[in-house]
Amino acid sequence: MLCLGIESSCDETALALVKDGKLIDQVLATQIDKHALFGGVVPELASREHYRFMGALYTELMQRNNLTINDIDLIGVARGPGLLGCLLVGLGFAKSLALAGNKNIIGINHLQAHLLAAGLETQLKFPSLGLLVSGGHTHIYNMKSAKEMPILGHTLDDAVGEACDKFAKMLNLPYPGGALIDKMGQSLVSQGTEINTKLFTRPYIKNDNIDFSFSGLKTAAQTYLKANPHLIENGLQVKLNGIESASDELKAVCASYLYCIASTLSLKMERAIIKYKDNGFKSIIVAGGVAANSFVRSELKILADKYKLELILPALRLCTDNAAMVAYNAYLLGKDGYHHDLRLNAIPRGQIIPDDYLQN
Ligand code: KG4
Ligand code: ZN
């Protein structure tokens, strides 16, 4: 079964081909540089860029693999959550292809696709405890199957990626700064310097739930940086001259901030393991852009080892937005006969994605 995946939910335009669960090829155009000028994704600009890139990327992918639409069995397209205008570009393109080629189409939940992406490299086992950490979402899932994933916990305000990017922004670093503050923090840890784990207090843990709130941590970081303006100035030097100009003090603050986030995620995941122990989770699956973060990866490894659970982390290139995960999710659902028709709708962020698959 050959599946074409189309991803355009935020600021990456991507297409990929997955055959019988194996990635064949993928193409991706990122808009990060364009949005960096504005300090965040500008939805209208993002939609226009998707519209500009989509057709050319499709042609490149298909020509490179000597394929035409006739060779495709199922077209998978990210239907949400995401920026509505952006999603509509992907859906419009997918529907045109489906109509022109008389092909089946399936709308893919972008968040579930992130969680399943690791299946391209390793055998996923269900049920698993899923942690999705991206720029827009921080969710804990009971991954019962590739199709059924009830949410067990979520953020009440900022997503983890947002907390990272806003911290980076306070330091004058370019958007999205998550990966850069990770690099700075990690460069200190890899020298063997101990992290100051007391600099920031883990937010929203004095309760017994498995939800998150990162807005307080952001304010604490803002207060700290205001009291230490030389760190903000150093951040500007890093922006202009690169990471080599970061002081050890700035690297240490980045490490403390990221450790605080990672250990908060780990603490809530541990609560979920204990609260839902009767589910018999077989592994912990971490996904989304922030799954690339080295502090998150190492804290969750410690947790997984403690409970003798397998830790599944997608390769870094599968953590951020891509179409391989969309094509793979389409394959997982398509092989069980699921699909949509041309009534398929885009679902913007904040709305529940309906379970409205049709089945052969
Ligand atoms: O999943 P993703 O590519 O896009 C969506 O939000 O759907 O995630 C992007 C987020 C951004 O906030 C980015 O700063 C963050 O992932 N990110 C990281 C790292 N790499 C990407 N945050 C912290 N450490 C990283 N290494
Ligand atoms: Zn994403």
Side-chain angles (χ1 to χ4, degrees), residues 32 48 69 72 79 116 129 136 153 161 199 208 224 234 247 258 274 307-308 317 320:
I32 283 185
R48 268 190 273 158
I69 186 64
I72 303 292
R79 72 179 306 198
L116 295 167
L129 186 63
L199 190 59
D208 61 359
Y224 185 83
N234 191 196
S247 65
L258 290 173
I274 295 166
Y307 287 91
K308 298 193 169 41
R317 71 196 153 75
T320 46

Side-chain angles (χ1 to χ4, degrees), residues 83-130:
L83 299 168
L84 188 58
C86 296
L87 294 167
L88 288 173
V89 175
L91 255 82
F93 191 76
K95 286 185 183 184
S96 313
L97 284 177
L99 198 59
N102 194 23
K103 299 290 170 182
N104 266 338
I105 186 172
I106 187 162
I108 297 298
N109 179 328
H110 175 91
L111 304 179
Q112 296 192 356
H114 266 303
L115 284 160
L116 295 167
L120 279 163
E121 303 166 322
T122 182
Q123 180 80 36
L124 298 182
K125 295 170 195 132
F126 300 105
S128 279
L129 186 63

Side-chain angles (χ1 to χ4, degrees), residues 114-263:
H114 266 303
L115 284 160
L116 295 167
L120 279 163
E121 303 166 322
T122 182
Q123 180 80 36
L124 298 182
K125 295 170 195 132
F126 300 105
S128 279
L129 186 63
L131 176 67
L132 178 81
V133 275
S134 72
H137 298 87
T138 305
H139 286 168
I140 297 180
Y141 289 88
N142 171 11
M143 297 176 66
K144 291 182 171 180
S145 70
K147 184 168 168 287
E148 223 189 317
M149 301 184 199
I151 293 177
L152 304 178
H154 65 105
T155 180
L156 306 178
D157 41 53
D158 291 354
V160 184
E162 215 174 333
C164 291
D165 295 341
K166 284 184 178 162
F167 179 69
K169 197 170 177 176
M170 290 175 214
L171 286 167
N172 286 313
L173 299 173
Y175 171 85
L180 191 55
I181 59 170
D182 185 18
K183 241 189 215 163
M184 288 202 275
Q186 196 50 44
S187 74
L188 199 78
V189 173
S190 57
Q191 283 168 28
T193 310
E194 229 170 82
I195 304 171
N196 178 355
T197 57
K198 301 276 184 305
L199 190 59
F200 297 109
T201 310
R202 286 184 290 184
Y204 197 61
I205 58 166
K206 289 190 181 135
N207 49 52
D208 61 359
N209 67 43
I210 50 175
D211 292 327
F212 302 97
S213 166
F214 290 104
S215 58
L217 174 64
K218 195 179 62 190
T219 310
Q222 198 163 29
T223 308
Y224 185 83
L225 292 179
K226 266 200 184 138
N228 293 278
H230 59 284
L231 291 171
I232 302 178
E233 279 162 35
N234 191 196
L236 190 59
Q237 285 162 6
V238 173
K239 179 182 179 172
L240 299 174
N241 307 318
I243 193 169
E244 294 72 29
S245 39
S247 65
D248 279 358
E249 187 186 355
L250 178 61
K251 291 177 185 171
V253 175
C254 290
S256 292
Y257 188 79
L258 290 173
Y259 170 80
C260 180
I261 285 178
S263 64

